[in-house]
Amino acid sequence: MTENSDVMYRLLVQSVIDYAIYMLKPDGTVANWNAGAQRAKGYLPEEIIGKNFSTFYSAEDRAKGLPEHGLATAARTGRYEVEGWRYRKDGSSFWAHVIIDAVHADDGSLIGFAKITRDCTEQKALQAEQRAQEQKFRLLVEGVTDYAIYMLDPDGHVVNWNAGAKRSKGYTADEIVGRHFSVFYSAQERLAKVPEANLKTAYRTGRFEEQGLRYRKDGSSFLAHVVIDAVHDDDGKLIGYAKITRDCTEQQRLLDEQREREQVFRLLVEGVTDYAIYMLDPKGRVVNWNAGAHRAKGYTADEIVGKHFSCFYSAQDRLARLPETNLKLAETTGRFNDQGWRYRKDGSAFWAHVVIDAIRNEKGQLLGYAKITRDCTEVREYEQQILRAKDLAEQNSTKMASLSKFLDTIIANIPSLVIVEDVVSREILLMNNKAEQLLGLMQNQVNGKKLVECLTPEMGDYFSQLSSAAQRNEGLHKNEQLLNTRGGERIISASASIIRGNDARTNYVLLIADDVTDQRAADARIHHMAHHDNLTSLPNRVLFSQRLNEALRQDREMGKLTATLGLDLDNFKNVNDALGHQVGDDLLRAVASRLRGVLRDVDTLARNGGDEFSIVLPSLSHQQEAEAVARRLIEVIRAPFNVDGHNLSVGLSIGIAIGGRELATPEQLLRCADMALYEAKRNGRNRFEHFSVEMGEAASLRRMIENDLREAITNKHLRLYYQPITNNHGREIIGYEALMRWHHPVKGLIMPMEFIPIAEETGLIHSLGAYALYEACREAATWPAHQSVAVNLSPLQFKNSSLVSVVEAALKASGLEPQRLEVEITESVLLDNTLVNIRTLQKLKALGVRIALDDFGTGYSSLSYLRSFPFDKIKIDKSFINDMKESREALAIIRAITGMSRSLDIQITAEGVESSEQFEQLKIEGCTLFQGYFFGRPQPPETRLKVFHPAERFAEHSPDLRHDSVGLVGIAAPPGLHFPQDPLSGK
């Protein structure tokens, strides 16, 4: 290299600003510094030249020797290349791609290193975002159950398999992945190489699409709409095929039925002889001609089809352009309706009743006109008969328009609305084109927002309730309701289900909905379904709301009372789970029959869905009448039901709301009846409660706390505090109990008793529980190996079938050894669904997790609990500890529990120890483990009590250290501050 070229090269390196390029001496000292290095790392040349390049690493990386390792690798192999976090002068970090090249002299001796660093933070963020989007899309595809969506490799072998494919074709993923997709074709089609031909078509044209028979695992066939798309990489190379299959058997059956009805309707129209019924194109030319038109006007179809309908008017009317005016009126208003003189082929006149309806498609485009003419000459003088004829003509016209609209809807086969929400924040993550059309929104308008913020209140509440139902209980939740949409009142049929991500803390709500208004109007049966429950034939919400609205109006005029009753069956879910949905459905029909038998003819009993019913009691004189009906309803359900040979007993809870000034609308009455129903269930079930103002205030407070809690989970305002646990020596910490605390940005510290019940009601307890497990395991993994962590489980978490997998995932993510995790349960877990919950406990035990029975002795304590499951620990409730000195009974209970535990070789933990006197007495009674304010208060991780100091603190002590923090490492609460009990953690 010449001197000039060397200068040019140096200038080039110095001017590059997107890369940090500089030289290091053999010991890692910076020798020079280009503009890109100054821009990327923030140091001027005079600040960094001469310093060691380890400055750009974190203290942790330097402690691990990573800078020296990089130089050593480069010196040994010639090059060291890596990606990782590096640090600027101001302390900020960036993700860097680093290359270190060893530079040798001509004699081979090392003279230094050339180092090139590029800031890749933005690229890394884009990659992370792309992975997140791919994850959302994958979860969406896997959660769709109405479509079989899967990939084929270039040879036609199945690569993956979604839930819809399993539901549609009967194979599990293990059974079908790797097999050739021709298994879904008949043997005859496989011999004819039809599957291979379809793949070739997709490869050659980009897409293969058809409708035909396909076959399930059990050999049964179904009519399928199939799309196969060829998928290529960026270089145009075929990497496989995307295959979507939808079972169209039911749609085809409906379509065949409608075609048959259309044929019957067409034959009916063509056979009518009293009416001239025919169609006009948008310009007024006759398109078809029925027998009634031939009879009334004298023209055959061959003579008139294609001619302008103005030939039926007089010359004077044509000069006045009356035919065109009539068509224009029909086009602008939708219908032209008139009586007047019209003319036959032979020139004779007749008095005609004429209706012209404008026919439009779903986009509003004019397709033509339906024209109905009747010869009313002979009966013109009979006004009443003419009116009846007019009504009949209008009725026939309405039926024809309605049927036409329904046929258009069936043929159009519009896809479903699909929306994906985040379970916790309720933010919209994904919305398809149909959702944009139905809701009148664009994807970019709803990103990061909630449905309730974007829709009408009625629509927002509808989808919110579905989402909440799916979050509270597993499975698919469906509902159909008449709603006020941006396009007017529409019947929306929707379903909601929970899709679980790879991380147990990340879940989504999948909403799928269809506008089924037109289908429900097809015929009398479908019309009936729009107003009645399909299972029980009782009125549904739509008809119930109409009846309630009418009752309120009439009773207001007559000075009477209207009562609304909300009903919910007690113990129905257990019947459904144990005996299946068929028995559950039969039971609901029997319940509906008994309830109906108690009511008057003027009362309305409706089924809202599931095991929920509503009743309107109109024309009451006083509220005691509603109470009397409620008592009869509860009593009539009390007797066992015999269903399919099973004697089944269920109870009935009822909420009552009476209409008045404050409760004047159907929505208010229903909402208040629901609140009263909730109160009846909370107070023991199988009873009724009246709505009160206090209930409304409590519900409002619960909604406010729920909204704040969702935001708190999203924004990480919830934290775990840790209270130490010690052994009977009391000199070392052997573990901690994790206790949940909420730091509200406005209200400050909120204790669990205020928000855990709301979390349990709304289903948020599952997200809170998963957070507690993950966070406690992560924190405990950093503690000394002999210390354990105890996490409390809510009884409702046992209703979630994924509880065991959540615990397993938390252990795996943190690396914590299973025996260092202890889960605490209360006796109520063993009261509810005992067998299923014990199996869940056995699975947790099999993981190596320790199980503790908390608050023993305070509830329905029974020796059978200790026989049914081998608990590792029993915790004596602090109420017995507090009363131990004054109450012989409390001390006797403690001795009984410790005696049993010694016999069963179970450890005993005493909670709420607040003085050395209690500590010494409990040691005498046989307790082995202790926790309480005497040893330390719950503290956040950063100030967690790590050691008792000084060790001699038990030599001299205050008789009551309840509010004394002397001798404890950590932050103590001010004197007199009591910490309420934590429902999630039991503290």
Side-chain angles (χ1 to χ4, degrees):
M1 182 179 290
T2 66
E3 183 176 349
N4 285 339
S5 63
D6 184 49
V7 171
M8 291 178 65
Y9 178 74
R10 188 177 297 110
L11 290 172
L12 173 63
V13 170
Q14 289 297 328
S15 64
V16 170
I17 61 172
D18 290 333
Y19 291 82
I21 305 174
Y22 51 97
M23 291 291 295
L24 305 176
K25 294 178 181 179
D27 63 354
T29 303
V30 178
N32 53 37
W33 196 246
N34 81 325
Q38 180 178 331
R39 178 174 179 267
K41 306 201 177 188
Y43 293 94
L44 297 172
E46 55 268 25
E47 293 176 306
I48 201 64
I49 292 175
K51 291 187 177 180
N52 194 281
F53 83 114
S54 60
T55 302
F56 312 132
Y57 288 73
S58 68
E60 184 180 356
D61 288 346
R62 289 198 296 272
K64 293 178 180 177
L66 292 186
E68 294 79 4
H69 170 71
L71 291 188
T73 302
R76 187 177 66 256
T77 64
R79 167 170 284 200
Y80 174 72
E81 188 170 355
V82 71
E83 285 192 357
W85 292 107
R86 294 297 182 269
Y87 295 84
R88 301 184 180 92
K89 176 184 176 182
D90 60 7
S92 61
S93 61
F94 63 99
W95 188 261
H97 178 251
V98 178
I99 297 174
I100 304 176
D101 283 312
V103 181
H104 297 84
D106 293 339
D107 61 0
S109 60
L110 180 69
I111 61 175
F113 302 91
K115 191 166 185 294
I116 302 176
T117 304
R118 189 178 187 187
D119 184 349
C120 299
T121 309
E122 185 175 348
Q123 294 94 314
K124 183 175 177 64
L126 288 173
Q127 289 172 357
E129 183 179 355
Q130 183 180 4
R131 285 195 295 271
Q133 292 297 331
E134 289 173 352
Q135 172 74 348
K136 290 175 186 175
F137 181 75
R138 182 182 66 77
L139 290 172
L140 170 63
V141 170
E142 290 178 354
V144 171
T145 58
D146 290 336
Y147 292 83
I149 305 174
Y150 52 98
M151 290 289 296
L152 307 177
D153 67 15
D155 296 324
H157 296 97
V158 178
V159 175
N160 50 38
W161 198 245
N162 82 324
K166 178 183 178 183
R167 177 176 176 271
S168 174
K169 305 201 176 187
Y171 294 93
T172 64
D174 293 338
E175 293 174 316
I176 202 63
V177 170
R179 295 178 66 181
H180 198 271
F181 84 113
S182 58
V183 70
F184 310 132
Y185 289 75
S186 68
Q188 184 178 358
E189 287 173 325
R190 291 197 294 271
L191 286 172
K193 301 290 185 182
V194 171
E196 292 80 1
N198 294 349
L199 281 192
K200 286 180 181 178
T201 301
Y203 175 73
R204 187 178 65 256
T205 65
R207 167 170 284 202
F208 169 78
E209 188 170 2
E210 75 160 359
Q211 189 162 297
L213 289 178
R214 293 295 183 271
Y215 295 84
R216 303 184 180 92
K217 176 184 175 182
D218 61 6
S220 61
S221 63
F222 64 98
L223 183 67
H225 178 255
V226 179
V227 175
I228 305 176
D229 282 313
V231 182
H232 299 84
D233 62 18
D234 293 339
D235 297 327
K237 179 183 176 182
L238 179 71
I239 59 175
Y241 302 89
K243 192 163 186 297
I244 302 176
T245 305
R246 188 177 191 188
D247 185 347
C248 300
T249 310
E250 181 64 15
Q251 292 91 323
Q252 187 62 40
R253 184 185 66 78
L254 291 173
L255 187 59
D256 290 343
E257 288 180 4
Q258 297 315 311
R259 284 174 176 162
E260 182 179 347
R261 292 176 186 175
E262 183 184 28
Q263 178 68 9
V264 171
F265 180 74
R266 186 177 294 111
L267 292 173
L268 172 65
V269 169
E270 290 176 354
V272 171
T273 58
D274 292 335
Y275 291 84
I277 304 174
Y278 53 98
M279 292 288 294
L280 306 177
D281 66 16
K283 294 184 178 179
R285 292 187 291 261
V286 178
V287 175
N288 49 37
W289 198 246
N290 82 324
H294 182 192
R295 177 176 177 274
K297 305 201 177 187
Y299 295 94
T300 64
D302 293 338
E303 293 175 311
I304 200 63
V305 171
K307 290 188 176 181
H308 199 275
F309 86 113
S310 59
C311 63
F312 309 133
Y313 288 74
S314 67
Q316 183 178 357
D317 287 344
R318 289 197 296 271
L319 283 173
R321 303 191 63 81
L322 194 59
E324 291 78 10
T325 301
N326 294 349
L327 281 192
K328 193 65 178 176
L329 281 171
E331 180 184 359
T332 55
T333 66
R335 164 172 285 201
F336 170 76
N337 195 340
D338 191 25
Q339 295 189 58
W341 293 108
R342 296 295 183 269
Y343 295 85
R344 302 185 180 91
K345 175 182 176 182
D346 61 8
S348 59
F350 64 99
W351 186 259
H353 174 247
V354 177
V355 175
I356 304 176
D357 278 313
I359 307 299
R360 299 179 183 276
N361 61 16
E362 290 188 345
K363 296 180 180 179
Q365 298 169 328
L366 182 68
L367 301 179
Y369 304 90
K371 192 165 185 298
I372 303 176
T373 303
R374 188 180 187 190
D375 183 352
C376 301
T377 309
E378 295 181 3
V379 291
R380 186 182 178 193
E381 63 275 16
Y382 303 109
E383 177 105 7
Q384 195 59 41
Q385 291 183 9
I386 292 176
L387 289 174
R388 282 200 296 271
K390 173 177 177 289
D391 289 342
L392 182 59
E394 289 176 348
Q395 183 182 5
N396 281 345
S397 176
T398 301
K399 287 180 180 178
M400 184 179 71
S402 176
L403 182 57
S404 175
K405 186 175 182 181
F406 173 69
L407 291 173
D408 289 344
T409 304
I410 292 295
I411 294 168
N413 195 20
I414 300 173
S416 300
L417 168 152
V418 177
I419 295 174
V420 177
E421 292 180 338
D422 181 88
V423 162
V424 175
S425 67
R426 291 281 177 88
E427 290 179 355
I428 301 169
L429 303 178
L430 187 67
M431 187 171 77
N432 71 345
N433 292 335
K434 179 56 187 173
E436 293 180 350
Q437 297 169 15
L438 183 60
L439 304 179
L441 300 168
M442 299 298 290
Q443 177 78 43
N444 57 10
Q445 294 176 308
V446 301
N447 285 337
K449 293 185 178 180
K450 303 173 185 177
L451 276 175
V452 293
E453 298 171 353
C454 306
L455 304 179
T456 62
E458 191 175 8
M459 286 279 281
D461 286 345
Y462 172 67
F463 284 111
S464 178
Q465 288 169 10
L466 266 179
S467 295
S468 297
Q471 190 172 343
R472 282 194 299 269
N473 299 297
E474 289 188 315
L476 189 67
H477 294 265
K478 294 184 176 181
N479 198 355
E480 183 171 300
Q481 195 166 323
L482 181 66
L483 297 170
N484 240 332
T485 70
R486 295 176 187 272
E489 283 195 340
R490 309 296 290 172
I491 299 175
I492 303 298
S493 176
S495 66
S497 57
I498 300 295
I499 302 175
R500 306 197 180 278
N502 291 335
D503 188 331
R505 294 165 293 183
T506 307
N507 299 322
Y508 306 94
V509 180
L510 175 65
L511 292 166
I512 300 178
D514 289 286
D515 179 352
V516 296
T517 310
D518 298 322
Q519 291 95 310
R520 296 298 176 264
D523 54 30
R525 188 182 70 84
I526 298 177
H527 181 268
H528 182 271
M529 287 175 62
H531 293 84
H532 293 79
D533 171 53
N534 192 40
L535 178 66
T536 62
S537 293
L538 293 176
N540 64 4
R541 285 181 180 273
V542 178
L543 185 54
F544 182 81
S545 295
Q546 294 173 2
R547 297 267 180 88
L548 178 55
N549 199 45
E550 182 64 21
L552 284 169
R553 186 185 62 78
Q554 290 182 355
D555 288 345
R556 204 161 33 238
E557 294 173 357
M558 298 171 60
K560 294 283 189 177
L561 296 177
T562 305
T564 299
L565 276 58
L567 287 67
D568 188 88
L569 295 180
D570 304 326
N571 199 41
F572 175 76
K573 184 178 184 299
N574 292 340
V575 173
N576 227 14
D577 292 344
L579 301 177
H581 292 291
Q582 183 58 52
V583 173
D585 290 349
D586 291 342
L587 175 59
L588 286 173
R589 281 189 281 266
V591 166
S593 177
R594 282 195 194 176
L595 294 175
R596 182 67 263 179
V598 172
L599 302 174
R600 303 169 298 176
D601 291 339
V602 295
D603 301 332
T604 298
L605 169 66
R607 179 174 176 244
N608 303 336
D611 59 347
E612 296 180 4
F613 299 83
S614 296
I615 295 176
V616 179
L617 301 177
S619 305
L620 302 182
S621 300
H622 46 77
Q623 74 174 30
Q624 285 77 11
E625 294 178 64
E627 294 175 2
V629 173
R631 290 190 185 93
R632 290 200 300 271
L633 292 169
I634 292 171
E635 195 59 36
V636 79
I637 297 300
R638 193 186 304 276
F641 291 83
N642 189 288
V643 179
D644 293 343
H646 302 284
N647 276 329
L648 306 175
S649 294
V650 292
L652 187 66
S653 297
I654 301 177
I656 304 174
I658 308 292
R661 289 183 181 179
E662 292 79 13
L663 305 180
T665 67
E667 294 76 16
Q668 291 172 330
L669 266 176
L670 285 169
R671 188 164 62 249
C672 294
D674 281 343
M675 282 188 262
L677 172 60
Y678 171 81
E679 188 70 12
K681 281 190 165 291
R682 198 172 67 85
N683 290 336
R685 306 186 177 215
N686 207 35
R687 55 183 288 128
F688 67 84
E689 294 282 355
H690 277 283
F691 170 75
S692 66
V693 175
E694 290 77 13
M695 288 182 196
E697 292 171 351
S700 177
L701 180 59
R702 281 197 299 271
R703 284 195 300 273
M704 185 169 61
I705 293 176
E706 178 189 352
N707 292 335
D708 285 354
L709 184 56
R710 291 184 182 278
E711 188 174 343
I713 297 173
T714 303
N715 296 328
K716 304 189 185 319
H717 292 158
L718 291 153
R719 301 190 65 194
L720 290 182
Y721 279 40
Y722 298 93
Q723 184 173 33
I725 303 171
T726 187
N727 56 21
N728 55 7
H729 298 296
R731 300 185 182 277
E732 65 171 336
I733 297 173
I734 64 169
Y736 298 85
E737 182 172 3
L739 308 172
M740 185 76 74
R741 299 291 184 261
W742 177 4
H743 290 266
H744 194 284
V746 176
K747 301 174 183 175
L749 186 66
I750 299 179
M751 302 306 288
M753 64 168 52
E754 295 184 50
F755 64 87
I756 292 300
I758 307 299
E760 290 179 332
E761 282 178 35
T762 59
L764 286 172
I765 192 68
H766 302 298
S767 295
L768 280 181
Y771 165 77
L773 283 164
Y774 270 78
E775 189 66 14
C777 289
R778 183 192 65 78
E779 183 70 29
T782 66
W783 302 343
H786 70 281
Q787 291 182 342
S788 63
V789 65
V791 180
N792 292 266
L793 297 182
S794 163
L796 287 180
Q797 289 178 261
F798 282 80
K799 296 183 183 297
N800 189 336
S801 62
S802 65
L803 174 60
V804 176
S805 62
V806 170
V807 174
E808 190 173 13
L811 290 168
K812 184 176 180 181
S814 64
L816 184 71
E817 296 176 358
Q819 64 270 21
R820 293 180 61 195
L821 173 64
E822 181 179 291
V823 295
E824 298 185 5
I825 68 166
T826 59
E827 297 161 4
S828 57
V829 169
L830 301 173
L831 282 171
D832 184 17
N833 205 5
T834 306
L835 184 59
V836 173
N837 290 347
I838 286 180
R839 286 175 180 166
T840 300
L841 290 172
Q842 290 168 342
K843 291 177 183 177
L844 291 173
K845 187 88 168 177
L847 293 177
V849 174
R850 293 166 59 82
I851 314 292
L853 183 59
D854 198 7
D855 298 340
F856 189 75
T858 59
Y860 301 92
S861 301
S862 169
L863 290 176
S864 63
Y865 297 161
L866 305 180
R867 291 177 55 196
S868 63
F869 184 79
F871 288 97
D872 297 290
K873 182 188 293 184
I874 295 175
K875 301 189 76 173
I876 302 176
D877 187 72
K878 63 182 180 182
S879 61
F880 298 114
I881 310 298
N882 292 338
D883 297 341
M884 179 174 60
K885 186 176 180 181
E886 290 78 16
S887 170
R888 293 176 57 191
E889 291 81 4
L891 187 58
I893 291 173
I894 291 173
R895 288 173 176 169
I897 295 173
T898 55
M900 284 190 305
S901 301
R902 279 195 298 271
S903 301
L904 297 171
D905 195 24
I906 299 175
Q907 285 188 314
I908 291 291
T909 298
E911 295 185 293
V913 180
E914 298 183 345
S915 70
S916 61
E917 183 182 359
Q918 291 176 341
F919 177 45
E920 295 301 329
Q921 179 67 42
L922 290 166
K923 284 196 293 183
I924 293 171
E925 301 303 335
C927 293
T928 52
L929 299 174
F930 304 85
Q931 68 182 98
Y933 290 168
F934 179 65
F935 304 101
R937 298 180 183 276
Q939 299 291 344
E942 60 270 16
T943 57
R944 169 177 56 87
L945 184 66
K946 297 179 181 178
V947 64
F948 295 137
H949 181 75
E952 300 80 14
R953 68 190 179 94
F954 298 114
E956 295 181 6
H957 54 262
S958 167
D960 187 355
L961 297 183
R962 183 172 308 177
H963 308 302
D964 184 5
S965 62
V966 176
L968 300 185
V969 175
I971 300 174
L977 176 62
H978 290 271
F979 286 80
Q981 189 172 11
D982 184 338
L984 180 64
S985 63
K987 313 295 172 292

